[in-house]
Every structure is written in C-alpha cells, then in structure tokens.
Amino acid sequence: MPSADEPIRALRRLLRLDPAVAGEPRRLGRGLLDLLPHDDRAVRLLTVAAELGVPAMVGDGQLADARRVLADRAGLHPEAAAWVVDVWHAAVAHDPVDVGRAAVADDPVDAGRAAVADEPVGGFGPVRLAAWPDGTLLVVTRDARGVFAAAVGRSGPSPWRLLASASGAGGLAVSAEGDRIVVAWAQPEALYAVEVRHRGGVLAADPPEPVTGARAGLTPDKPLAILAVDETLHHMMWPVGDGRLCLGTWRAWPSDDPDAELPPAGAAVTALDTGRLSPDAVLLVAATERGRVLTARWDVPAEHVAPWRVVTMPEAAAVAAAGSRVFAATVHGEIVDDAGEVLATVSGERLVAATAAGDTAWLATVVADTMTLSRPGSGADWSLRAP
C-alpha cells in the first residue's frame, strides 16, 4: 500500500479549506491530484471512497461498514479497504468537520472569527520573512522545540535548519539590513538573537546569544518587532498592555539605554510588524484586539514616530507589512491589502508574514502544517511543510 502520511496531510488541507469537498468526488479528486501528483493510486482510492459515501460513514464512526462497502462495492482487497478508511479517519479525527455535508453558520461573522482563530494542531507557530538583496527569502518559524529557518531561492526551499533551542512557542522577529539578517526572540530571562547568512546556496548562522536582559512586559507570548539601524544598533518594539508599546535598543557594546514609549495604540495590540519605506523611514503596522489596523511612520534619523492612524480595512485578525504595503487577514476569512483588493478568500488559511524583496511583495499563509509563499497577483510559488 502507498504511504499514508502524504494522503492524510492532503485530505486535512482540503477539508480545512472546504469541508463540503468530501461529498463532491470529482472536485476532491482534482484537489488530491494537485497535492499528490506522484501518487495516482492514493488519489484513485480516496476518490472512489468519496463516490461510495465513505467519508460520511467515517465521520459517523461507522468504520467497519465503510471497509465493507469498499470491499463489496469497489472490489478492494481488505488491506486496501482498511488503508482507505484509516486515511479518512486520521484526516477527520485530526480536524473534525461535518464530513460530506456543507456547514452553514448562522452568523457569517462568527464563522469568520472561528476560521481565523482556529490554530492548527502540530502546524506552524509564528512565522517571519526577510529577503537578501539577491531576492532569496529567509523563512523563520518557532515552535516548542526551537527556532527554525529555511532559505527559498530560485530552485525552491532549502531543508529546515534549527537555529536555536527555545523553551515554549512565542514571539519572533526578523530585521534585514543589506546582506545582514538578524532573527530575535524573547525568553523570560533575555532577548536572544542570531545573524543568518546565505552564501553559495548554503544557509549559515552564528550561535545564538542574549542581546539584552529581561525587559518589563517583554515576554515570549507578546508580539515583537525589531529594526536594524546599522550593524551596531537595533531597535525593538513590543506591547505592554492597555494600548501602550515600548521601544528599546540593543547595541553591539554594553549599554543601559532606557526604554521609551511609542505613541499609544488606544487598545491592546495583538500583532506588530514593520515595513521599510526607505533607508531612513519605516512603517510600523499593528492590529488591535478591536480588529483595527493601525500604521505609524517612523523617521529613524530624527528618532520620531508619528501618532498612529487607522487604516480603512475590514476587521482584522492579523497584519503584515511588505515595504509600504499593508496586508491583513480579516475575521471573514479574506486576505486583503490596504488598497482594498481581496487577494484570497479561503476559510482556514492564516496570514502569518509578509516581506518585500526589491519591488516584489511576498506573503506567507498557512493551512495546517503547510505554508504557501506567494506573490500577490501571480499565484502560489512555493510550499513548505512545517519543520
């Protein structure tokens, strides 16, 4: 029998995108073929099962009946029938849905909130993107095991590399300045950072080191953003509650620079990102617990951050910046930009990061344990599995 791992992941992804697909065998088959182009046998077996109503039977717990139907009506060997039922059962048990039936919410807004807030089990934690001058992307993610990185160039993504062990999932940030990309994350006792390089197609990193001690309000679970001013100075930003945000620094030499406060956001900040407008100007982007999207322009040489302004966008659950562009995942399940364009309408897909590589904006979205890197307007380009 073919391996079950990839078919299970493919089914989970399709069911998360649209539970009703299990009751539409032809559409299911096309979706599986896209996700499993080299496993025709698995696609045929799972599609035949959908034609015979096996997904609904599995959803109702009728596993023995499902195996019997596959053996009697499709002529499958008992071992093959058991494999098909096991794959469907693993997919449904991982992500319980009303399999084979269209789910209709009484309140579409509440349904959108549920889709955005539903964190996949065993998938990606926070994700950040950055780009080297040659256009190669750095993808960084963090989970309970540590901080991982992969490089994505013209030939596709590299294998994941463990940058550092980290206790517990939490905030993550990246900053790019020329060829230098720095990754930072908070632990209860300190803020840690590591410089990541990509040379000759090889991803390399220095050993991680603590760059600042513990800061008031800076905990692993808080959103975090960093900004490289030059090789010797970085700024870091994080919320401390009640709409207040702190601005701290770390330098290449020991210092005791006091933390300052950014203009207040007016409500608790749930997401924070930065977009580089020019060498001397940065766009701060935030989402609040009220679903508002805020931006503030930062004149770096003058050390001045303008007051936050509200961006006219639908109620947002997540935000990301790529240069001057702002992207948001709305509570209705859409991914939109600040020009009002709807880039995607996919229930269950989370916007997790964005970056600018030259004049090109890249988005990272996640469904279950699969991340898609795409350029708005050009379709999907690369997919990565969780490390």
Side-chain angles (χ1 to χ4, degrees), residues 60-375:
D60 291 336
Q62 301 172 5
L63 305 187
D65 290 342
R67 288 191 290 269
R68 190 177 305 111
V69 164
L70 288 168
D72 293 346
R73 296 180 56 189
L76 295 188
H77 186 278
E79 182 181 345
W83 181 91
V84 172
V85 172
D86 287 346
V87 170
W88 272 106
H89 185 251
V92 174
H94 176 277
D95 187 18
V97 291
D98 193 6
V99 179
R101 306 169 180 86
V104 180
D106 294 332
D107 185 343
V109 174
D110 287 343
R113 289 181 190 276
V116 173
D118 182 25
E119 294 291 334
V121 177
F124 285 92
V127 177
R128 292 293 180 267
L129 299 179
W132 281 284
D134 65 358
T136 301
L137 297 180
L138 176 69
V139 185
V140 186
T141 189
R142 176 180 179 177
D143 63 19
R145 296 168 297 166
V147 179
F148 296 83
V152 182
R154 293 181 179 179
S155 59
S158 70
W160 289 103
R161 175 193 172 111
L162 178 66
L163 297 181
S165 299
S167 57
L172 185 66
V174 297
S175 181
E177 178 68 18
D179 289 326
R180 189 168 185 253
I181 295 180
V182 172
V183 179
W185 63 96
Q187 292 291 128
E189 72 281 2
L191 184 77
Y192 288 81
V194 60
E195 182 175 346
V196 184
R197 297 173 300 280
H198 188 254
R199 295 173 181 168
V202 177
L203 190 65
D206 294 334
E209 58 179 329
V211 293
T212 71
R215 301 293 182 98
L218 180 55
T219 56
D221 61 337
K222 290 287 180 66
L224 173 68
I226 61 172
L227 172 70
V229 178
D230 55 38
E231 291 187 358
T232 66
L233 173 63
H234 281 75
H235 288 296
M236 53 191 177
M237 296 136 276
W238 70 95
V240 291
D242 301 326
R244 295 168 48 235
L245 294 104
C246 275
L247 173 64
T249 61
W250 90 66
R251 299 183 183 273
W253 55 87
S255 69
D256 56 357
D257 295 330
D259 294 337
E261 285 206 6
L262 293 170
V269 170
T270 58
L272 193 59
D273 201 4
T274 62
R276 182 75 79 162
L277 303 175
S278 71
D280 294 335
V282 172
L283 187 69
L284 300 184
V285 181
T288 74
E289 63 181 358
R290 298 174 184 172
R292 295 193 307 170
V293 178
L294 308 175
T295 63
R297 185 182 176 91
W298 183 355
D299 185 334
V300 179
E303 299 183 352
H304 172 71
V305 179
W308 295 97
R309 68 177 186 88
V310 179
V311 182
T312 303
M313 300 180 79
E315 190 175 353
V319 293
S324 63
R325 298 185 68 180
V326 178
F327 302 92
T330 76
V331 297
H332 301 284
E334 297 175 333
I335 297 175
V336 301
D337 65 12
D338 52 348
E341 183 179 356
V342 177
L343 305 174
T345 306
V346 185
S347 176
E349 187 168 14
R350 298 185 299 140
L351 171 69
V352 291
T355 194
D359 296 329
T360 301
W362 284 86
L363 295 183
T365 57
V366 165
V367 176
D369 60 357
T370 300
M371 177 194 302
T372 299
L373 293 170
S374 62
R375 293 172 294 183

